Amino acid sequence: MSDPTRVSILGKENIILDHNIWEGSFVAHDLLTNVQSSTYVLVTDTNLFQRYVPPFEKSFREVATRSGLDPCPRLLTYQIPPGETSKSRVTKANIEDWLLSEARDPPCDTKIVVIALGGGVIGDMLGFVAATFKRGVRFVQVPTTLLAMVDSSIGGKTAIDTPAGKNLVGAFWQPQRIYIDLKFLQSLPPREFINGMAEVIKTAAIWDEKEFSSLERYSESLMQAINEKADIRETKITGLQEILKHIVLGSVRVKAYVVSADEREGGLRNLLNFGHSIGHAYEGILAPQILHGECVAVGMVAEANLARFLGVLDGAAVSRLVKCLTSYGLPTSYKDAAIQERTAGKLCPVDQVMSIMGVDKKNEGRKKRIVLLSGIGRTHEKKASVVADKDVRIVLSSAIRLSPAASPPSVVNCVPPGSKSISNRALVLAALGHGPCRIRNLLHSDDTEVMLSALTEMECADFAWHEGGNILEVKGNGGRLQASPNDLYLGNAGTASRFLSTVATLANPSRSPSSVLTGNKRMKARPIGPLVDALRTNGAIVDYLDREGSLPLRIKALNGLEGGDINLAATVSSQYVSSLLMCAPYAKQPVTLRLVGGKPISQLYIDMTIAMMASFGVKVTKSELQEHTYHIPQATYQNPAVYEIESDASSATYPLAIAAITGTTCTVPNIGCRSLQGDARFAVDVLRPMGCSVEQTEFSTTVSGPRNGALRPVPEVNMEPMTDAFLTASVLAAVAQGQNGDNITRITGIANQRVKECNRIRAMKDQLAKFGVTSRELSDGIEIEGVHATKLKQSSSGIDCYDDHRVAMSFSVLSLAAPQSTLIRERECVGKTWPGWWDTMSQLFGAQLEGVDLEQQHVENVTFPSDLRKSLFIIGMRAAGKSTAGRWAAETLDWPLVDLDVQLETQIGCSITDLIKRSGWETFRDREYCLLRDSITEKGTRHVFACGGGVVERPEARKLLVEYHKSGGSVLLVHRDIEDVMDFLQIDKTRPQYTEDPREVWMRRKRWYKECSNFEYFSRKAGENELAGASRDFSRFLKTITGERRALSHVLSKKQSFFVSLTVPDIATIIPSLQDIVVGSDAVELRVDLLEDPKRKGCTPSVEYAAQQLANLRGSTDLPIIFTVRTTSQGGKIPVDALADVVSMYEMGLRYGVDFLDVEVQYSEQILRPIFQAKGKTKLIASHHDPVGKLSWSNGSWVPFYNKALQYGDIIKLVGVASSQDDNAELIKFKSWATSMHRVPVIAINMGVEGQLSRIQNDFMTPVSHPALPFKAAPGQLSAAEIRQALALHGVIKPQAFYLFGSPIAASRSPALHNALFKATGLPHKYVLWETESVQDLRQILRDKNFGGASVTIPLKLEILQYLDEVSDDARIIGAVNTVVADSQQTSKLSGGNHLAGRNTDWQGMKLSLQNAGAQSGQVKSAMVVGGGGTARAAIYALHEMGYSPLYVIGRSAEKLKSLVDSFPKEYDLKIPSSIAEFQAVGGLPVVAIGTIPADRPIEGENMREMLRYVFNADTSGYDKRILLEMAYKPSVTSLMEMAKDGGWVTVAGLDALASQGFYQFQYWTGITPLESDVRAAVMGNS
C-alpha cells in the first residue's frame, strides 16, 4: 500500500491516517520499529475483541518474529465491558490490578506500551491508566469510531467519570501514536457514524467555512450510504473513501493545529468546546441513552442561539448550522422526537442544566465561559467568552417572561425576516425552474427548512448557501423531480403541505411510485380536502392515510396533472389556488383554473403568486369573461439570476404595532406600498385609523404611535386582504379607548383564521380574557372591548400560544403595554417565521426578558385531556349489551345517553319495524347513516351513543366510524358469548327480524365491528344479583381507557407494591379463592401463555378464549390487570416461532383496555413501534427476561436492554438469574444507577433461590405467588406476606401501634379484626384498646413516632379534631372522625410526631354493605334514613354518594330532624315527610333504607310507625330488590328489621357495616385491601 497520510502534532508526525492500516502489517511494523517495547498491552471492549484482535495478534506475531528482536516482544490483551459505565474508577482499578498481577510474567514495567483499541471510552480511560501506571507509561490510540478519530484520540486529554460529572478526574497524557484506520467506519453502526459527524461539523463551524460547505454538499451521499443495510453499507462506504478521508483529515488537522498551539487549554483550545458547555450538561442528564455527539449537536444549536441573542451572530448562520446538523440526522433540541423516545420523555430542567454547567472546567469561578460563533467558520473571540447566567437561561427556557423597557428607544429601524409567503413560493418556483437563481433574504425558519428538505428529498434542485447563509443558490431541474421513498415530514407547516401536495404529482416514479406527506398532530387536523378533490378530478391519485380531508397523504408520481379545466373551491385557503397555479405550467395540456363556491379568500395572495410566476417567466392570464378564472400556459420556468425576497409584511406588523402601543417610532425599510403582500396595508388601513402617524413610500413604512400609546378603537375593519395581521390588530384593540366610552373594535373578514395553526379567533378570545379584556367571536371575525392599559391583568398561568408563532408575537406586543410582566409559553414557536424575535425584542426595543422553565413545573394531566372529551360510540350485535353498557357509560362519564335507534324512531314518527315494512331496508340504512353522520358532527363531544347492530352494514358508515376513532375518538365494541346472543335473538320481537340466519349476520359483521372500533368489552352473562358488580367492572374498564383510573400513580404512591402472577389454565377454577389470592397485592397478572384453550389443546390459546378469560378476571377483582404473554425463551409457554400469536394477543390486550401490558423488548422495532403507538391509556411494562443467566448486572451488559426498554416502557422490568448473593448486590447498584438517571420506575429482580433476596429488596411491583396457585410463575417467587415478614425482620417495615380510642370499648371486636389482618398480611403491627373519655389522655400516644393510626368512637369523634393536621371532606360534612391515619413521611405541625389525618369510614362501610346486598350506585331512585343522630349523618352521606335522590329522613323529633337536614347542602335533596300523604304526593318510594335508631326500645310515635309500615309494605311490583341496613347490632334482629322483612325487604345486620368500615380502616392504614370474608369472620367472632 502507499504510505499513509501523516499529520504533525506538537512537532511530531504522530497521527497516521488511511484506509486498512490495522488488519495488515503496517501498525504492527510501525509499533515495533518506532515505539519499541518488550511488552505491548492491547485493551479493547468485548464487542470489538473478536473482530479486530485476532487478526492483529497474527500480524503482530509475524512481524515480531521477522524483526529478530531479542527478547521477542509479547502482546497481552484484555477485554472490558462496552459503554460509558466502564469509564469508571472500578474499571481502571481492575485493569491496573490485572497489569500488576503475578500472572503477568515477566511483570509489566515502566517500559510497556498500552494500546487503546476502541472509541472514546476506551481511549479516555486507557490514557488515564497509562498516565498513572507506575507514574506514566507510553500509550497508543487506535480509535475505531468517527467521534474518537476526530476528537477524543487527539490532544492527550484522558479521564474517567465520577458521580459528580463526566471527565472530572484525569490527566493530559499525549499518545505516542494515533493510528486512524478509516476502514473501521465501514462496520460502524449508522448512529455511531452520525454521532461522530457532530464533532466534524463543530470543527468546520468554528474554523473553516469552506470545509463547512463541503459537509453540506456531502450530506446526501454519505447519509444514503450509512443508512443502507450492513452488507450494502460497507460496499457503499468503500466507494466514498476519498470523501471520508477528506472529512476526517480536515477535522484532524484543525485539532492537531489547535492542540499544538495550546496543549494545556489556556485559550485557543477552548474553541474546540463549541457546543460542549451546554451539550455536556445535557449529556449529564440524558446519557447513556443519548450519545456524546448528539448532545453536542443540541449544545451547538443552543450556543449559536445564544450568540444570536447576544447580537454577535446573524440568524442565517444559525439556520445554516441547524440545516447541516439535521441533514446528518443529528438532533437540534433535546425535545427532538428521537431523544424523547430514547429517554422516555426525560426532562432537562434549566436549573439542572445550569448546575452541571457550573462545574465546567472552562469557567472562571462562577462565571460561565462559552464559545460564541460570529459566523460560519469563525468565532467571536479566539477563546470562550464570558456569558451571563440570565442570558443562558433565556435561550434554554421553554417560556419567557417579558416586561416593558424602563426607557424604550424613541426611534427604531427594524428589518423583519424575509416573507414566509414569498420565500416558500420562491423556493418552489426556482426549484421547478431552469438554471441557477440566487435568492437573497430568504426567510430562515422552520417552515422554509421543511420546504427545502422536501424539495431536496424529491431532487427538484441543487441548493447551496453563500455569504454565510445570506444567499441561497438554487439550480433548478426544470420540473424534473423524483417521488420520495421516505415520508416527507412537514411538522406544522401548512404552506409547505399545500404547495407540495401538487408538486408531488409532477414527480417521476423511478425511485418510488409515490410520495407520502405527513406532519405533526396539529397538521393532521388542518384541512386539505378541497385541494385534494381538485387534484383527483384532474387525474391525480391521492390517498388519505388517516383522517379524510387531512394529512397524511400518499400521492402517486404521475409526471404532472392532466391539465385542461380544473375547478377548485377556494373559500377556505388561497394556498390551494397558489399550489395549483405554480404547478399548472407542467401539466400535460394548458390549464384553465376556475375558483368556485363563492368569492376566493385572500385574493391578494393569489395575485402575489401570479406576479411571482411572471418574474420566473410564466404569465398567467385572468379571464375577462368568467369571474375568478385563470388561464395558465404550458411552460418551463426560467430562473432569474437573482431574486430578492422582501421582508414578511405579516411579521412587520409586530414592530410597527410596538411603535403604536408604546408611542414611539419604527421604520421598516423594505416594505412599502409596492409590496406584493396584502399585509403591507396594515399601517395605512389599521394603524392610521387607530391614531398613529403613518408615512409609507414605495419601499418603506414608518409608524409613530400616539403619545402614551393612547390608541383609538376602530368601529369596524374588514381585514380579509390581510387576515394574518388580525392578531396584531386584536392586541392593539385591547388597549384602544374611545372618547365617548365606546371602546369596541370589530374585525371581520377573517373566517379562514379558524383553520390556521390553531383556531386563532378562539385563541385570541381566550388569551385576551387572561388580560381582563372582553371579546366576542363573530361568524367571520372578533369584537374586542378595549380597556386602559393600566387595567390589564396579569395571567398567573401565562399566555398559551397553541404552537402558533403569530399568537406568541402578538401577545408579546401587548406585554409591552401591561403594567406587570407577562409570561409567554412556548416561546420557541416564533421560529416558524421569525426565529430571532426575542433577540429583536431585547436588542432593538429594550424589552426586559427572563427565561422561565416550565419543564420544572411539569405536571401530568390527571383528568380528561381534550381528546377524551370526544363522544363515545358503542357498537355490536343486538343483544350484546350495548344499551346496558351505554347506560353505565353515561353514568360513569356523566354524559347524556343517546340510543340512536330510539332517536331515529322519534325522528321518523314510527317504529323501525314499520319503517322497514313501509320503505324497505335500504331506506332504513340511509336514515341510520345520516343520523350517525349528524351525531358525529353535531354532538361530537361529551355524549354516549348506543348504535344499532347493523350500523356497520354500510361502507360509508364504517368509514365514518374508522375516521372517528383514528382522529382520537372512542368507538367501543361490546360483545358477549355468541350463543347467548343467538338465544336472545330467537325470542326478541322488539326489532325487525333478520332476513337471513343471525349466525351468518354475525360472521359477516365480525370483521367490520373490529375495523370500526378501537376498544372492545366482553360482556359476561350476569344474574340479577351480579349486575352491581358488572356495572362496577364496566366503570373500571371505561375509566382505564379514558385515563381517569390511574393505576400506575396509585402503585407509585406506595412504599412497597406487589402483583400476583396467576398460573392457571382457566381463570374460572380460581374465582372462588381469587379474593384470597390477591390480598396484599396491588395488581394481578394474567399469564396468557399459561392459559389452556379447551378448543385448541396443546396450542396457543385463541384470542377469543383469552378475551373471555380476561373478562372473567376483570369481573372478579377490582385490582388493575397486567396482561402478559411469554414465549419459551422468556420463561413462558408460547413457542418462539409463534410471533404472530404474540402480536395478536398484545393487540387484543390494548383493545380490551388492560391497565398494564407487559411487552418484551427483545422484539424488533416493527413489532414494538405499533404497540407503543396504539397503547392509549394502557401503561406498557417493557421487560427483558434472561432465564439462562447470560447477562451480568456488573459489566454493563444489561444497559442496552434498559436503554431499549426506556424507549417504550412506562415501567421497566428486568429479570436475571442469581448464582450467588453477589448478584443481588450488583443488581441493587444497577437499579440505583437506573433510578437516579431516569424517572421511569424499574422492577429489577433475580430468579432462583439465590435471587430471593432481590425480590425482598425490590420495592416496586414485585411479582409474587400464593399458596393457592398451582405453581410459581418463576423460580424463587415468594408471596407478598412472606416478603413483608422478611422486610419486618430486616427492619425495613417497622412495627407500629394501632388503637381504639373511646369508651366503653371492652367488648369491641376491632383488636381481633385488625390483629388477624396484620398477621395474615405479614405485617408486624399490633392493635390494642385504649379506653378513655378524655382526649387529653391521647396526647403522648399521638406524638409517638411508632403511632400508626387509630379507630375512634364515642365520645371522642369530635374532640379528636384538635390534634389532627387534616380532615377529609367526608368527615367534615358528616361532622365526625372515626379513623386516624398517621403518615410517617410527614411531620405533624401540631404535635411534632407523624402527620395525622382524620377520616370517616362509617359511611363507606354502609355503602359496601348495601352494594354487597345488591344495591346499585348511580340509580336515580329515592332512599330513606331512619333516625336523626350522628349515625344518620353518615347514612345520609353514604346514600348521597350512591346517587340516591330524594333522601327521606324519618325520626321521632321533628326539630332534631330539621336541624339535621338544614346542616347539609341543598343538592342532597333531603325531605322530612310528616305523613303518609306527603309520601304519596311526592311519589317514588324508597328502595333502600338505613336504620340508625336505638334498638333496645320500641319504635316510638304512631305517625312514625305508620310511615315506616307504609314504606315497607307498599306494592313492590316494578321495583328492584329493596334493602334495609340496620346499624344497631344488638339484638341481632331488631324491630325495624322485622317490620322490613314483613314487607319483603332484604335486611342487613349492623355488624356487617361494622366489619365493612373496619375493612376500609385497614386499607387506609396499610394500603392493603383485605379479604372481606376474613374481616367479617373476625367481627362475627369466628376468626
Side-chain angles (χ1 to χ4, degrees), residues 718-773:
N718 183 350
M719 296 190 71
E720 192 273 334
M722 45 181 158
T723 55
D724 281 354
F726 102 86
L727 299 94
T728 320
S730 296
V731 296
L732 296 179
V735 292
Q737 299 281 289
Q739 291 182 345
N740 300 318
D742 185 3
N743 301 333
I744 293 178
T745 296
R746 185 182 179 91
I747 301 170
T748 59
I750 56 169
N752 70 326
Q753 294 293 304
R754 287 193 169 93
V755 292
K756 291 288 188 173
E757 282 78 349
C758 66
N759 181 339
R760 286 176 171 169
I761 300 176
R762 172 64 57 81
M764 294 307 290
K765 176 178 177 291
D766 292 345
Q767 301 311 305
L768 283 172
K770 293 180 178 180
F771 283 92
V773 176

Side-chain angles (χ1 to χ4, degrees), residues 1421-1424 1448 1479 1484-1489 1511 1519 1522 1545:
K1421 294 182 179 177
S1422 64
M1424 176 174 68
Y1448 297 103
F1479 266 121
L1485 287 170
V1487 294
V1488 167
V1511 171
Y1519 283 92
R1522 298 190 292 174
W1545 284 53

Side-chain angles (χ1 to χ4, degrees), residues 463-485:
F463 300 95
W465 292 101
H466 300 287
E467 296 185 16
N470 288 305
I471 292 179
L472 177 68
E473 183 177 37
V474 183
K475 292 182 179 176
N477 292 332
R480 295 184 299 278
L481 56 145
Q482 302 292 324
S484 170

Side-chain angles (χ1 to χ4, degrees), residues 615-632:
S615 298
F616 283 79
V618 175
K619 185 176 180 181
V620 177
T621 305
K622 187 172 184 179
S623 173
E624 296 179 358
L625 302 176
Q626 295 176 293
E627 191 178 26
H628 310 313
T629 300
Y630 301 89
H631 303 290
I632 306 101

Side-chain angles (χ1 to χ4, degrees), residues 509-523:
S510 59
R511 279 201 309 159
S512 172
S514 58
S515 299
V516 172
L517 306 186
T518 188
N520 64 15
K521 185 176 181 180
R522 174 60 192 162
M523 175 59 74

